Amino acid sequence: MEPFDTWKQDPGWTDWRWQLRHAVRDPAVLSRWLGLTPAAAAAVWRTAQRYPVLATPYYLALAEHADPADPIVRQVLPDPRELLPDADGSPDPLAEGRDSPVPGLIHRYPDRALLVATQRCAVLCRHCLRKRAWSPAAADAPPADFGPALAYLREHAGIREVLISGGDPLLLPEDTLFGLLAALQALPQIEIVRLGSRLPVVLPQRLTPEFCARLGAGLPVWLATQFNHPRELTPETAQAVGNLLRAGIPVVNQTVLLRGINDDAPTLAALCTGLLRQRVKPYYLFHGDPVAGTLHFRTGVEAGLALLEELERSVSGLAVPAFAFDLPGGGGKVRLEPSWRCGALPDGTVVYRDRQGQPRPYPAPRP
Ligand SMILES: *Cc1c(COP(=O)(O)O)cnc(C)c1O
Ligand code: SF4
């Protein structure tokens, strides 16, 4: 059974509304497609009762095989390990609740604030950081009232950048989205807006030239998206990114390091160089936070750092993202670099490793 390939023949395939209408929500459809055993299908169904299924046909069609281990399938197929109790997993390890002065706004860094504009997504990613907020009701809830958040921003002149996140803010009704952008533009201290959206990856059809032109018409807008695997880079995503760039919206990427999906150097190198070919700057490579229901995707920070070092050896500096993770309890982001320093001489000369691992002294400036 190859339903998603045959769906491609439908004239609606290139229409984002058709894609949303035909999004797969029934775990049994995935299980049948993948040919799962009754026991495995029952486990998928049980997991989906807690963390639902949602995937656009476009995204599912990126799977090369109807195989539960496929890197596309693994990002959307419920895994019974999501339900395992684990002492390390917390629904909200980043304490976003604590740094939220008004509903829907997270203010952790002095000059920027994050607005959770909607709970709706086009695809529910199994590794999602905000998995705790998933519910069928949330997806259909009317858009939040941004009044309190806007009032807070108005009173905090130090905030120069607003990150609009979610959920996926590009799924907001157009009136709501453009109304929000206009309200931000009316605040004199807001210099830039950063949209966090996975639509370039999972619903690129939404990024039409007209929509992108409207997004880019006011304040300088940047878009941060989330490509996790080179197979996600397609002619459709190139088109979507092209439309954003032509509208003056630079596109950066935040990959989540995912065990069994992209935690090997060749895959990351193919992803990061492929992003450059589509004119997307790799910005972050995130180590998975200890979010309940996602722990089986975590690789370990040291393993991630070793991968970053391999990446730095093999690809253009432009292709190398910053490796980072969030400290639990709202401690904020930490960026880690492989350490190239390996010692110092008495006269102050520091010794670094070169890319082949050989020590090389680097003279200090003369006093
Ligand atoms: C990640 C994050 C930001 C943005 O951080 P950058 O390093 O500028 O990308 C802002 N606010 C919150 C709450 C965040 O978690
Ligand atoms: S698109 Fe983003 S917010 Fe939505 S499920 Fe995926 S990771 Fe979570």
Side-chain angles (χ1 to χ4, degrees), residues 33-353:
W33 171 53
L34 295 168
L36 297 186
T37 63
V44 164
W45 188 86
R46 234 183 2 262
T47 311
Q49 300 314 299
R50 173 67 188 87
Y51 298 117
V53 164
L54 183 64
T56 54
Y58 163 82
Y59 192 69
L60 287 169
L62 301 180
E64 229 157 46
H65 310 287
D67 172 1
D70 178 278
I72 302 295
V73 175
R74 287 201 59 190
Q75 291 185 60
V76 294
L77 178 70
D79 182 319
R81 285 176 292 180
E82 295 170 37
L83 302 179
L84 288 179
D86 190 303
D88 294 338
S90 149
D92 181 16
L94 311 190
E96 290 187 336
R98 195 201 64 187
D99 285 340
S100 181
V102 293
L105 196 78
I106 305 165
H107 186 196
R108 175 167 299 151
Y109 304 107
D111 70 331
R112 51 210 191 280
L114 187 150
L115 189 66
V116 179
T118 172
Q119 304 290 359
R120 202 170 162 219
C121 292
V123 159
L124 289 175
C125 316
R126 306 321 292 182
H127 53 273
C128 180
L129 185 68
R130 305 221 170 83
K131 211 165 171 167
R132 67 179 183 279
W134 289 4
S135 77
D140 299 322
D145 170 13
F146 300 125
L150 289 167
Y152 181 89
L153 293 173
R154 201 172 295 118
E155 287 157 18
H156 291 77
I159 300 175
R160 290 177 305 188
E161 174 177 349
V162 177
L163 286 78
I164 307 181
S165 179
D168 204 307
L170 297 187
L171 289 178
L172 284 170
E174 290 196 0
D175 289 353
T176 311
L177 177 61
F178 293 119
L180 176 60
L181 288 174
L184 291 175
Q185 186 159 16
L187 300 178
Q189 93 276 16
I190 304 298
E191 296 172 355
I192 64 170
V193 167
R194 191 189 323 178
L195 294 167
S197 169
R198 220 185 165 199
L199 292 199
V201 186
V202 298
L203 188 63
Q205 298 81 2
R206 177 66 183 108
L207 285 308
T208 62
E210 300 73 30
F211 185 57
C212 294
R214 278 191 79 187
L215 285 175
L219 277 170
V221 171
W222 287 64
L223 188 136
T225 190
Q226 188 202 124
F227 286 93
N228 291 329
H229 191 275
R231 192 113 48 73
E232 294 168 343
L233 293 159
T234 66
E236 288 88 342
T237 64
Q239 183 73 45
V241 170
N243 291 341
L244 287 161
L245 294 176
R246 275 184 291 277
I249 302 174
V251 184
V252 301
N253 188 66
Q254 307 187 153
T255 295
V256 184
L257 185 58
L258 298 166
R259 192 157 90 196
I261 294 178
N262 61 15
D263 64 334
D264 63 279
T267 300
L268 283 180
L271 172 63
C272 293
T273 54
L275 285 165
L276 291 188
R277 282 198 300 279
Q278 293 207 355
R279 297 178 290 168
V280 176
K281 169 73 184 104
Y283 175 39
Y284 275 129
L285 174 64
F286 283 124
H287 184 258
D289 294 314
V291 176
T294 70
L295 302 179
H296 54 292
F297 285 119
R298 303 180 81 217
T299 60
V301 167
E302 294 307 314
L305 205 50
L307 281 170
L308 191 77
E309 191 175 319
E310 254 186 281
L311 196 63
E312 268 194 56
R313 280 185 220 281
S314 61
V315 299
S316 157
L318 269 181
V320 180
F323 180 56
F325 61 90
D326 263 277
L327 287 172
K333 285 189 184 63
V334 174
R335 289 185 183 215
L336 290 181
E337 282 280 342
S339 178
W340 301 95
R341 196 190 145 118
C342 62
L345 304 178
D347 67 353
T349 302
V350 176
V351 184
Y352 298 96
R353 290 181 296 139

